[in-house]
Amino acid sequence: MEYNLSVKNEQNPFNIDVEKFVEQFYGFIQINHLYDSAIHEIETKLEIIDSEFQCNFSRNPIHNISSRLKSPESIAGKLKRKNIPITAESILANLHDIAGVRVICHYIEDIYQIASYLSLHDDIHILKQKDYIKNPKPSGYRSLHLIVTVPVFLSTGKKIVPVEIQIRTIAMDFWASLEHQLHYKSKNNVPPELSEELRILSETIHNTDLRMEDIYHRINEIDPENE
């Protein structure tokens, strides 16, 4: 079947430039594969760090690893807000949070150790770091955010791809997940008094994190022979 690309007809009712559409469609498929591969590279590195930690210290610092790719709607919306053309090339050049990896750790010190170990990889370059643990957001949100680049080796050669990594404790993730649900449920219209209560709860959860870490160290200092 051949389309008349210049004339609006039954076969092409919206007068779409089909060739351009097909080109962009396959471009987005390739972008999706590229970022998915970058996520796999980061996850593999994290799994190796976690297993090595288990070998050396008999415990795993990572509780859970999850990942996500931004939806096409979210990508298009962000490019539109930035007044940038919605193309595969624009995505690569302008957006750093298409691929996301979330790392959930047991203790706060684990967060900084994981980030430090990642920085030692000579094929990972940290573009940006935001420490919302030491400097929480006004809402009370806490997490360590990294924007890194990682090489992805394709049949056509090496591509350097950005990935956003969020590292937080189980308690921080618990708070962030519930806070997100509450804001989504209320259409981001949470009353000021409830926002303040959420912020105070974040402080409570942070103090719990610190106390649990302290208990962990005190237990490790106990000499079994002296019990």
Side-chain angles (χ1 to χ4, degrees), residues 98-116:
I98 303 301
V101 175
R102 182 172 297 163
V103 186
I104 309 302
C105 296
H106 293 99
Y107 302 107
I108 293 174
E109 65 182 24
D110 293 335
I111 294 172
Y112 294 105
Q113 286 180 324
I114 293 299
S116 177

Side-chain angles (χ1 to χ4, degrees), residues 32-117:
N32 190 74
H33 172 261
L34 183 63
Y35 281 101
D36 191 54
S37 299
I39 284 175
H40 181 68
E41 290 285 342
I42 293 295
E43 287 180 330
T44 299
K45 290 178 181 296
L46 289 166
E47 288 166 0
I48 291 172
I49 289 171
D50 192 51
S51 61
E52 182 187 9
F53 209 95
Q54 171 64 35
C55 290
N56 293 338
F57 306 107
S58 299
R59 78 174 187 88
N60 298 95
I62 297 176
H63 173 71
N64 183 54
I65 301 171
S66 60
S67 61
R68 63 104 181 100
L69 283 173
K70 271 190 179 295
S71 68
E73 295 83 1
S74 179
I75 294 171
K78 194 163 187 176
L79 288 173
K80 189 174 181 180
R81 288 192 298 273
K82 290 175 175 284
N83 198 28
I84 297 171
I86 303 175
T87 65
E89 292 77 14
S90 293
I91 292 172
L92 277 171
N94 297 285
L95 301 184
H96 289 161
D97 60 347
I98 303 301
V101 175
R102 182 172 297 163
V103 186
I104 309 302
C105 296
H106 293 99
Y107 302 107
I108 293 174
E109 65 182 24
D110 293 335
I111 294 172
Y112 294 105
Q113 286 180 324
I114 293 299
S116 177
Y117 292 149

Side-chain angles (χ1 to χ4, degrees), residues 28-222:
F28 282 117
I29 290 178
Q30 291 171 340
I31 284 290
N32 190 74
H33 172 261
L34 183 63
Y35 281 101
D36 191 54
S37 299
I39 284 175
H40 181 68
E41 290 285 342
I42 293 295
E43 287 180 330
T44 299
K45 290 178 181 296
L46 289 166
E47 288 166 0
I48 291 172
I49 289 171
D50 192 51
S51 61
E52 182 187 9
F53 209 95
Q54 171 64 35
C55 290
N56 293 338
F57 306 107
S58 299
R59 78 174 187 88
N60 298 95
I62 297 176
H63 173 71
N64 183 54
I65 301 171
S66 60
S67 61
R68 63 104 181 100
L69 283 173
K70 271 190 179 295
S71 68
E73 295 83 1
S74 179
I75 294 171
K78 194 163 187 176
L79 288 173
K80 189 174 181 180
R81 288 192 298 273
K82 290 175 175 284
N83 198 28
I84 297 171
I86 303 175
T87 65
E89 292 77 14
S90 293
I91 292 172
L92 277 171
N94 297 285
L95 301 184
H96 289 161
D97 60 347
I98 303 301
V101 175
R102 182 172 297 163
V103 186
I104 309 302
C105 296
H106 293 99
Y107 302 107
I108 293 174
E109 65 182 24
D110 293 335
I111 294 172
Y112 294 105
Q113 286 180 324
I114 293 299
S116 177
Y117 292 149
L118 279 175
S119 70
L120 295 176
H121 290 247
D122 57 13
D123 58 346
I124 288 184
H125 178 59
I126 298 179
L127 296 179
K128 185 184 297 185
Q129 175 174 314
K130 290 186 177 180
D131 192 338
Y132 295 117
I133 300 172
K134 294 177 180 176
N135 301 289
K137 291 185 177 182
S139 64
Y141 174 85
R142 284 178 165 84
S143 185
L144 180 66
H145 287 200
L146 305 174
I147 300 293
V148 307
T149 57
V150 62
V152 174
F153 295 89
L154 304 174
S155 60
T156 54
K158 181 174 71 173
K159 295 284 187 181
I160 303 299
V161 185
V163 178
E164 181 186 51
I165 305 174
Q166 298 179 358
I167 317 176
R168 60 181 71 150
T169 64
I170 298 170
M172 291 175 197
D173 190 57
F174 164 75
W175 183 92
S177 297
L178 292 182
E179 192 260 357
H180 176 76
Q181 286 183 11
L182 291 171
H183 275 84
Y184 180 79
K185 185 179 180 68
S186 63
K187 306 299 182 185
N188 291 319
N189 226 358
V190 177
E193 64 273 15
L194 292 183
S195 294
E196 175 61 13
E197 190 167 350
L198 282 169
R199 188 196 64 77
I200 293 171
L201 281 173
S202 171
E203 291 284 348
T204 302
I205 288 174
H206 180 62
N207 288 331
T208 301
D209 260 336
L210 294 174
R211 291 177 66 183
M212 290 299 295
E213 187 170 277
D214 179 62
I215 290 171
Y216 164 73
H217 285 299
R218 285 158 60 190
I219 289 175
N220 280 346
E221 290 170 359
I222 296 173

